Amino acid sequence: MTMTLEKTVLDMTATELRDVNTTLQAAAKAQANAAYEIINPRGSHAMACGLDGPLSVTIKGSTGYYCAGMNKEATVTVEGSAGPGVAENMMSGVVTIEGDASQYAGATGHGGLLNIKGNASSRCGISMKGIDIVVHGNIGHMSAFMAQKGNLVVLGDAGDALGDSLYEARLFVRGNVKSLGADCIEKEIRPEHIAILKELLEKAGADAKPEEFKRYGSARKLYNFNIDHADEY
């Protein structure tokens, strides 16, 4: 039997953003394991940021930039689209965007799952450090730039310069890749990668088979400066 948490509703026509975030952060810090619903978000910026504990937050509408930044343990769902920098520097937990995400979604993320049901703009997963990102649509140019660790899964297409200067992050794309960035190459997809993909697709509720994807990763030629590769830096 699954228990459903009773939701506390915060209406942003009556409550200021600062007070909304203060309420959420206090509940998270208290390990309240409570549920909140934010109505009339009106594209506000930096909503549900810095949550440091088990909390469920549903935002009924679209948000501005830096939503759910620095998330740790909390589950944040945006029933709309999100502006630039959603889930930036995320540590753990789950952030779900029901619509589209603007540029640099999941930037510098260390852990957790960022689940984007629509498309993501440019620089998705830039400098990712362990986060898992699943994009059900397409991603823009320069995605996974300098990505260090983690998994980026794209069910649609990828724009120019995918994985430019990346390190050990794994990139999985089902659709077409317009171009690969410096030091990014297509790699063999082995059974262990199929297993990783299967788990992530199931977690994200994505309708796709792991065998449909191609894997991309680092050629490892730019780890140390080499004069022969100077034109690639």
Side-chain angles (χ1 to χ4, degrees):
M1 182 176 177
T2 302
M3 293 184 62
T4 303
L5 296 174
E6 184 177 347
K7 291 183 179 179
T8 300
V9 177
L10 301 174
D11 186 347
M12 292 193 65
T13 60
T15 307
E16 295 291 333
L17 174 63
R18 183 185 295 274
D19 295 329
V20 168
N21 279 339
T22 298
T23 298
L24 297 177
Q25 289 164 5
K29 188 174 182 179
Q31 302 285 298
N33 196 26
Y36 286 83
E37 184 175 278
I38 301 173
I39 61 174
N40 300 310
R42 298 173 296 173
S44 298
H45 305 308
M47 295 184 65
C49 286
L51 302 184
D52 190 12
L55 203 67
S56 174
V57 179
T58 301
I59 302 171
K60 308 289 282 187
S62 296
T63 67
Y65 53 71
Y66 300 127
C67 176
M70 300 178 290
N71 190 66
K72 185 177 180 182
E73 295 189 54
T75 298
V76 180
T77 301
V78 177
E79 294 185 352
S81 295
V86 65
E88 182 175 74
N89 206 33
M90 180 175 172
M91 305 302 289
S92 61
V94 179
V95 175
T96 301
I97 310 301
E98 297 287 352
D100 298 324
S102 190
Q103 56 191 347
Y104 40 92
T108 70
H110 288 253
L113 171 65
L114 171 58
N115 187 16
I116 301 170
K117 299 292 186 71
N119 304 304
S121 187
S122 61
R123 298 174 178 84
C124 179
I126 184 172
S127 193
M128 51 193 281
K129 295 175 171 66
I131 190 174
D132 291 323
I133 303 175
V134 178
V135 181
H136 296 234
N138 306 319
I139 58 172
H141 65 269
M142 292 294 288
S143 290
F145 172 64
M146 292 191 73
Q148 296 159 43
K149 186 180 178 184
N151 300 287
L152 172 61
V153 180
V154 183
L155 276 68
D157 300 331
D160 276 318
L162 175 69
D164 190 275
S165 304
L166 88 166
Y167 291 83
E168 292 305 308
R170 292 179 288 257
L171 316 180
F172 302 98
V173 182
R174 184 171 67 165
N176 297 317
V177 175
K178 192 168 184 181
S179 69
L180 296 175
D183 211 38
C184 184
I185 59 172
E186 184 178 345
K187 292 191 166 186
E188 176 189 7
I189 188 161
R190 300 190 297 270
E192 61 264 33
H193 303 124
I194 293 292
I196 291 168
L197 259 176
K198 186 174 185 295
E199 182 180 0
L200 286 174
L201 291 168
E202 287 176 355
K203 279 184 180 179
D207 184 17
K209 298 177 180 177
E211 295 81 9
E212 298 172 338
F213 290 78
K214 292 182 178 179
R215 180 172 75 101
Y216 302 89
S218 175
R220 301 173 180 169
K221 291 182 179 179
L222 301 185
Y223 272 29
N224 300 290
F225 182 80
N226 185 323
I227 191 63
D228 295 329
H229 303 137
D231 60 342
E232 297 185 50
Y233 289 93

